[in-house]
Amino acid sequence: MEYINIFVKSVFVENMVFAFFLGMCSFLAVSKSVKTATGLGLAVIFVQLVTLPINYLLNKYLLAPGALAWLNPEYASLDLSFLSYIVFIAVIASIVQIVEMVVEKFSPALYSSLGIFLPLIAVNCAILGGSLFMQERGYANLGESISFAFGSGFGWFIAIVAIAAIREKLAYSNVPKPLKGLGISFIITGLMGIAFMSFMGIKL
Amino acid sequence: MDKSILKNPFFKANPITVLVLGVCSALAVTVQLKGACVMALSVTVVTGFSSMLVSSIRNTIPNRVRIIIQLVIVALFVILIDQFLKAYAYDVSKQLSVYIGLIITNCIIMGRIEAFALGNKPFPSLVDGLANGMGYGLVLVIIAFIRELFGSGTLFGLQIIPQSWYMANGGFYENNGLVILPPMALIIVGCIIWAQRAVQKELQEER
């Protein structure tokens, strides 16, 4: 039950895009058509699902205050948490690079549809943000962090597909000239954010 | 050195309103002016110095792994800033929470490194980084000014709207709670872009 709760909360109530503005750059840049948006969204879910559990384990057994105690009880007073940024981002960047090479080798079809988005994901704030939130909130076990990873990635996926669909329709509407493109996308995202705020306080 | 490196990021090629870089943090830290100023300064410092460092070793970085190397360099500066803030401005550091760490993935920094620092000498890269950081900071301060003034009636925590104006004290005024909510930041940025593109017609898009 706790897992479903974390999942629903991270998809709707604490949506990465609408509540925390994470991953806005690619959210606005790659949301011109539903097809590419779906590709990027799926890639984000995938990378989030791989990196967040790894970072969870690294945080638990290496970085958190006193985490090194399993190695030697004398290390219990060590606190390496100041290293977490560098470790998390190194994990994310290298996983993205490895995933890119593996996909390129074994599934050229997937690579040609997903490939161009993979390097973009290394600097997608939603991925690093997920790891940092995981650390800040202190999820209790691996299962919770996996369900948070899936939820936050899925929330991002929903958000980008939704706005891409709206932007496709927007081509037929009469928007004031200076507001076309970027300006109206910002305002629509804001309105969608207000809509998503109605999920606030939902608890399963 | 070309003066446009210094001038463009403020208006013509502003990182947020024109290049759409670094939007994530721009929105989250703008509820109060103080947080926005600290964030603007941190981003300026990190962008400037990481551009300079990457530029000075640009000829020795292998192309295939350059993203990882750049990210590690940026992370280094962000850790310095984070530890500095924790030591000297703990309350601000708490308020900004994960967004300090997220400077690492702030697209302005990677964007400037990829677009400028990899092909230019260290000193112009430093200037370009600092100028872009400041252009970003300018937009941040504008948004925070609007949000704090109308949302809580204060600037830098000081009361600007007179207390006697408030409904509670028999006046006519009430703070606009909507401005403090996250989605309103997006709408304010949308309006800033609207205003800028109304002046600069060449930036307007077809669709």
Side-chain angles (χ1 to χ4, degrees):
Chain A
M1 203 61 207
E2 191 53 36
Y3 298 148
I4 302 174
N5 199 6
I6 289 177
F7 176 76
V8 171
K9 209 171 159 194
S10 51
V11 173
F12 294 110
V13 185
E14 290 170 345
N15 187 293
M16 277 288 178
V17 176
F18 298 125
F20 297 112
F21 312 116
L22 296 178
M24 284 299 285
C25 311
S26 30
F27 176 79
L28 290 167
V30 194
S31 60
K32 277 190 180 135
S33 83
V34 174
K35 209 176 161 211
T36 46
T38 314
L40 184 65
L42 288 176
V44 164
I45 296 181
F46 181 67
V47 173
Q48 188 79 300
L49 265 178
V50 178
T51 56
L52 213 137
I54 292 178
N55 282 341
Y56 173 81
L57 292 174
L58 278 172
N59 186 44
K60 193 167 182 194
Y61 293 109
L62 196 66
L63 298 167
L68 283 170
W70 62 274
L71 205 61
N72 186 336
E74 284 169 29
Y75 295 155
S77 59
L78 281 179
D79 178 4
L80 293 179
S81 54
F82 69 93
L83 283 177
S84 44
Y85 295 160
I86 228 167
V87 171
F88 287 172
I89 198 68
V91 167
I92 291 169
S94 38
I95 293 281
V96 167
Q97 196 110 50
I98 291 169
V99 167
E100 192 186 347
M101 287 189 226
V102 169
V103 172
E104 191 179 3
K105 182 105 186 161
F106 291 106
S107 171
L110 185 65
Y111 181 75
S112 59
S113 63
L114 212 74
I116 40 165
F117 300 123
L118 283 170
L120 261 178
I121 289 174
V123 289
N124 187 325
C125 338
I127 307 285
L128 181 62
S131 291
L132 292 176
F133 277 127
M134 174 271 296
Q135 191 189 32
E136 198 183 80
R137 294 173 187 166
Y139 286 116
N141 54 45
L142 193 60
E144 283 188 20
S145 74
I146 290 175
S147 105
F148 173 67
F150 187 55
S152 56
F154 191 66
W156 202 88
F157 171 81
I158 290 185
I160 194 168
V161 172
I163 198 169
I166 295 178
R167 284 183 77 172
E168 276 190 359
K169 292 278 174 288
L170 213 62
Y172 309 108
S173 57
N174 192 9
V175 180
K177 248 195 171 163
L179 208 53
K180 262 186 192 170
L182 191 58
I184 195 74
S185 315
F186 267 104
I187 291 179
I188 289 172
T189 314
L191 294 176
M192 287 167 79
I194 292 177
F196 264 69
M197 284 182 76
S198 58
F199 290 114
M200 226 175 241
I202 288 182
K203 203 165 172 16
L204 283 182
Chain B
M1 200 178 66
D2 196 357
K3 272 224 187 71
S4 63
I5 297 179
L6 199 58
K7 219 169 62 191
N8 276 353
F10 285 95
F11 194 67
K12 228 158 95 191
N14 188 287
I16 294 182
T17 60
V18 180
L19 307 177
V20 215
L21 297 174
V23 185
C24 331
S25 55
L27 304 169
V29 299
T30 50
V31 179
Q32 279 167 343
L33 208 46
K34 197 172 153 201
C37 287
V38 171
M39 189 71 186
L41 265 179
S42 318
V43 170
T44 308
V45 170
V46 175
T47 320
F49 287 98
S50 47
S51 276
M52 186 176 75
L53 192 58
V54 170
S55 160
S56 54
I57 58 170
R58 67 186 186 277
N59 294 329
T60 54
I61 302 179
N63 197 34
R64 186 95 195 166
V65 294
R66 69 174 195 286
I67 303 262
I68 299 181
I69 293 173
Q70 289 159 6
L71 283 173
V72 169
I73 289 174
V74 176
L76 175 82
F77 285 104
V78 172
I79 289 176
L80 289 179
I81 296 266
D82 184 47
Q83 297 293 320
F84 181 84
L85 283 180
K86 274 193 181 136
Y88 292 100
Y90 191 71
D91 54 326
V92 182
S93 151
K94 264 269 159 285
Q95 187 206 332
L96 297 178
S97 73
V98 297
Y99 292 99
I100 289 286
L102 287 173
I103 296 178
I104 300 172
T105 48
N106 192 320
C107 336
I108 296 184
I109 300 174
M110 287 305 278
R112 287 333 288 173
I113 288 175
E114 286 278 310
F116 196 90
L118 280 179
N120 284 283
K121 289 214 172 70
F123 184 67
S125 304
L126 174 69
V127 175
D128 175 79
L130 290 177
N132 272 284
M134 283 187 269
Y136 162 89
L138 180 71
V139 178
L140 225 65
V141 168
I142 294 174
I143 306 169
F145 179 85
I146 298 174
R147 288 182 78 187
E148 195 179 348
L149 184 62
F150 293 108
S152 8
T154 57
L155 286 178
F156 286 109
L158 294 170
Q159 192 72 32
I160 296 292
I161 311 273
Q163 287 289 357
S164 57
W165 284 17
Y166 283 100
M167 296 274 213
N169 303 332
F172 57 91
Y173 187 79
E174 196 67 50
N175 282 331
N176 187 347
L178 190 64
V179 184
I180 299 187
L181 297 177
M184 208 51 203
L186 289 159
I187 296 177
I188 293 173
V189 177
C191 294
I192 291 175
I193 292 173
W194 189 0
Q196 189 190 5
R197 292 195 177 179
V199 178
Q200 273 188 297
K201 299 223 160 38
E202 69 271 19
L203 289 176
Q204 293 175 4
E205 292 169 51
E206 278 308 307
R207 56 164 288 210

